[in-house]
Amino acid sequence: MRIGSMTAQKMAGQLRHDLRRGLQPDYVDASRIKLNRVLLEPSTTGELRNICEERRALRQCQRKMKSNAAIGTRGIITFGSEAAQMFEAIGSSQQDRAFRALTKAIARHLNTTVHGLVVHNDEATIHAHFILAAFNMNGDPLSKSTSPKVLSALQDIAYDVLSTFCPDMERGRRYGDRIAAGADYADTVHKSVKELHRTLPADLAKKRGELKTLELAEQEAEKRVQEMQTRVSKLHDKAKLSDAEVKRLATYEKRLKDRVQALNTAQAKAEAARAEATRLAEIAKAEQIEEETKSKAAKEEAEMLTTAVTALAEEVNGRSIRRTKDGKLTASHPERLKPAAKAISPAILAAADLVGKLETEEAELREERAKLALREQEVRKREALIEEQVKKNKKDRDDLQAERAKVETLKNKHLKMIGRMVTFLGRDDLTQEAWLEGKALEQEARELSAEDPPEEFGHRPL
């Protein structure tokens, strides 16, 4: 909901908008104008000026009220997209009761009176325009008596009143949902969200440029109207006019009428551009807030996930996360995993299974290592036995070789002794008895040496 002061010229433009007279903004659907409802016929500018002058007189002001002083306060009652759907569902009769109750409550709060209430259904969303007297019952202008705190209270009043007709309606919808329906261009309203977001910066900059140009044109038109109004007033103030002055007055009045018409047109265009610029600015701000909210949420989620993943890695390294026999998960610090449990649930389950698998494999590895150590111990024992046997065999071979050498030496000695004996027995001077005894000794020596005698000494010659 928004309110703002109006001079007589601005009020004329507002009335044309409210009652759909003359040139209308592009966002108005002409085929739906018949659906609009006038709940309270707006007062004329003259009627409102008289009311304001009477109230202002209560303060006994010395100066007369200026011609360009505010005589009305315009307001618009709008809804966010969700609230609008709720409000439209209650039917036109209840809607009219709600609009009447709310405007009366606002007027009571501001200590003034309602002088116009029109419901519009020919734009994107249902809304209502109302007009209040610009001076309150004490003679004070609303522009001075409506502080930000007072205006902020109007939102609470709107919620208190409208919620009695729509119990599900909530106060404080996000800023982007509270877009003034009177500022919705039909082609923009039906843009896709993606297209609207893409073109919004350029649209807003363009509309602000147009608004600046139109506001300058509006100010220039006001100056031209005031200038001609001054000339007309001066001629009207004269008691008697000459023929030339009568003609001049007619010319001035015709020019004044044309300039007022031009001013009204400029005001209508400026008001339409102002409403559209406000709408686009609100969308831009809503998008900024939404993006900031998303960014903050994404950052918080990233930090949460980082903390949880780090904690999960520590649990895995410490082998402290696992499944129990009944399938439940246990961890040393579950509070660090719970905030992100939904997001990283597969990772948590996989980590628990991994730890269980690692522990099983490590147990099997330890068992294999123990078996290997036993086998290595047995091999070392066998190698020691083999080494000892090799040493023993070497000693036996050495001993055997030494024995063989001794036997060979002894054999050689025996052979030499046998040879000497054979030679001795071959002597001619031996007696038969000595020869026989020598032959017996020879035979004994041969048996010990297992050698045959030389053939030339086999027999004694006869």
Side-chain angles (χ1 to χ4, degrees):
M1 181 174 60
R2 302 192 307 272
I3 65 173
S5 299
M6 297 183 296
T7 62
Q9 287 79 11
K10 287 186 177 181
M11 182 175 171
Q14 185 65 43
L15 291 178
R16 284 194 303 276
H17 175 80
D18 293 352
L19 301 175
R20 296 301 189 237
R21 295 173 182 169
L23 179 66
Q24 295 300 315
D26 297 340
Y27 52 80
V28 173
D29 185 352
S31 65
R32 294 173 56 84
I33 290 179
K34 59 185 178 181
L35 300 177
N36 295 343
R37 303 190 295 274
V38 179
L39 305 185
L40 177 62
E41 188 70 30
S43 299
T44 64
T45 56
E47 290 170 344
L48 266 181
R49 175 175 286 278
N50 291 334
I51 292 172
C52 291
E53 287 178 344
E54 290 175 0
R55 294 182 180 179
R56 184 175 180 273
L58 297 176
R59 294 190 291 124
Q60 298 180 350
C61 300
Q62 295 180 354
R63 298 179 60 183
K64 187 179 179 180
M65 191 170 75
K66 294 181 178 180
S67 61
N68 62 348
I71 60 172
T73 297
R74 59 185 173 184
I76 180 171
I77 302 170
T78 63
F79 304 89
S81 57
E82 294 181 9
Q85 293 177 9
M86 297 178 191
F87 191 72
E88 289 175 353
I90 67 176
S92 60
S93 177
Q94 286 292 90
Q95 292 169 5
D96 293 348
R97 288 183 58 199
F99 283 132
R100 287 192 179 98
L102 179 54
T103 52
K104 287 180 180 179
I106 293 171
R108 284 195 301 270
H109 182 72
L110 298 178
N111 193 26
T112 187
T113 48
V114 184
H115 294 273
L117 179 58
V118 180
V119 179
H120 283 171
N121 280 295
D122 57 357
E123 300 177 27
T125 310
I126 186 173
H127 62 280
H129 294 273
F130 61 88
I131 297 174
L132 308 175
F135 285 77
N136 63 21
M137 295 301 188
N138 298 326
D140 298 317
L142 295 188
S143 59
K144 293 184 178 180
S145 62
T146 50
S147 64
K149 182 177 180 181
V150 172
L151 294 177
S152 177
L154 297 182
Q155 299 295 337
D156 296 321
I157 293 173
Y159 169 71
D160 292 339
V161 173
L162 296 178
S163 63
T164 61
F165 296 88
C166 293
D168 293 333
M169 189 176 294
E170 298 179 3
R171 188 196 188 286
R173 294 286 184 182
R174 68 186 181 89
Y175 193 71
D177 289 337
R178 301 196 302 272
I179 297 173
D184 289 338
Y185 279 101
D187 60 342
T188 303
V189 169
H190 297 295
K191 281 183 178 180
S192 68
V193 174
K194 183 177 181 180
E195 182 182 3
L196 180 60
H197 288 190
R198 178 177 59 82
T199 63
L200 180 59
D203 291 344
L204 180 56
K206 180 180 178 182
K207 188 55 61 179
R208 283 175 172 171
E210 292 177 3
L211 176 59
K212 186 175 181 180
T213 301
L214 291 172
E215 285 179 341
L216 292 174
E218 182 183 12
Q219 294 171 8
E220 182 62 27
E222 286 182 352
K223 290 180 181 179
R224 289 170 56 81
V225 168
Q226 291 173 5
E227 177 190 1
M228 194 53 62
Q229 183 68 55
T230 301
R231 293 183 182 184
V232 171
S233 297
K234 286 182 179 180
L235 290 175
H236 276 299
D237 291 342
K238 286 188 175 183
K240 187 177 181 179
L241 298 176
S242 65
D243 292 341
E245 288 174 335
V246 171
K247 290 181 180 180
R248 192 182 307 132
L249 177 60
T251 300
Y252 287 169
E253 287 179 341
K254 174 64 171 61
R255 290 178 181 176
L256 178 60
K257 182 179 179 181
D258 293 341
R259 291 185 181 186
V260 169
Q261 180 63 34
L263 174 60
N264 291 338
T265 300
Q267 287 176 338
K269 290 182 178 180
E271 179 61 25
R274 190 177 295 110
E276 176 65 358
T278 300
R279 185 186 76 85
L280 293 175
E282 289 179 347
I283 293 176
K285 185 172 182 179
E287 287 186 356
Q288 180 183 358
I289 293 173
E290 185 176 359
E291 289 300 321
E292 290 175 352
T293 301
K294 287 182 179 179
S295 177
K296 181 179 179 181
K299 182 178 180 181
E300 291 176 350
E301 183 178 6
E303 291 176 350
M304 176 190 68
L305 290 175
T306 300
T307 300
V309 170
T310 301
L312 184 59
E314 293 175 356
E315 296 280 357
V316 172
N317 290 334
R319 305 290 195 272
S320 54
I321 184 170
R322 57 173 57 84
R323 288 179 186 266
T324 59
K325 292 182 178 180
D326 56 0
K328 293 182 179 180
L329 293 175
T330 61
S332 60
H333 296 287
E335 70 282 355
R336 299 176 64 189
L337 300 175
K338 285 182 179 179
K342 186 175 180 180
I344 62 172
S345 177
I348 293 176
L349 296 175
D353 294 339
L354 175 61
V355 169
K357 184 178 180 181
L358 288 174
E359 290 182 339
T360 300
E361 291 178 350
E362 287 175 351
E364 293 175 353
L365 181 59
R366 286 193 296 270
E367 184 177 354
E368 289 298 324
R369 285 177 176 174
K371 291 179 179 179
L372 180 59
L374 289 176
R375 287 197 294 270
E376 288 177 347
Q377 186 177 1
E378 291 176 358
V379 169
R380 285 193 295 271
K381 287 182 179 179
R382 291 176 183 176
E383 288 177 345
L385 292 174
I386 291 172
E387 185 179 356
E388 184 179 353
Q389 187 64 38
V390 168
K391 291 179 179 180
K392 184 176 182 300
N393 291 342
K394 184 176 183 300
K395 183 177 182 300
D396 290 343
R397 284 195 298 272
D398 292 343
D399 293 345
L400 179 59
Q401 189 173 0
E403 288 296 325
R404 284 179 177 175
K406 289 180 181 179
V407 169
E408 187 68 22
T409 301
L410 186 60
K411 178 180 177 181
N412 292 333
K413 289 180 179 181
H414 287 170
L415 289 175
K416 289 180 180 181
M417 182 182 68
I418 291 172
R420 288 165 59 192
M421 291 179 68
V422 169
T423 300
F424 176 79
L425 291 175
R427 291 171 54 181
D428 295 334
D429 58 350
L430 289 178
T431 64
Q432 185 67 26
E433 183 180 359
W435 185 87
L436 289 173
E437 184 179 357
K439 198 65 175 175
L441 290 174
E442 176 189 355
Q443 184 60 35
E444 185 179 352
R446 287 182 185 279
E447 289 177 358
L448 288 176
S449 62
E451 291 290 339
D452 295 333
E455 294 182 0
E456 61 270 19
F457 302 120
H459 303 278
R460 176 183 175 85
L462 296 177

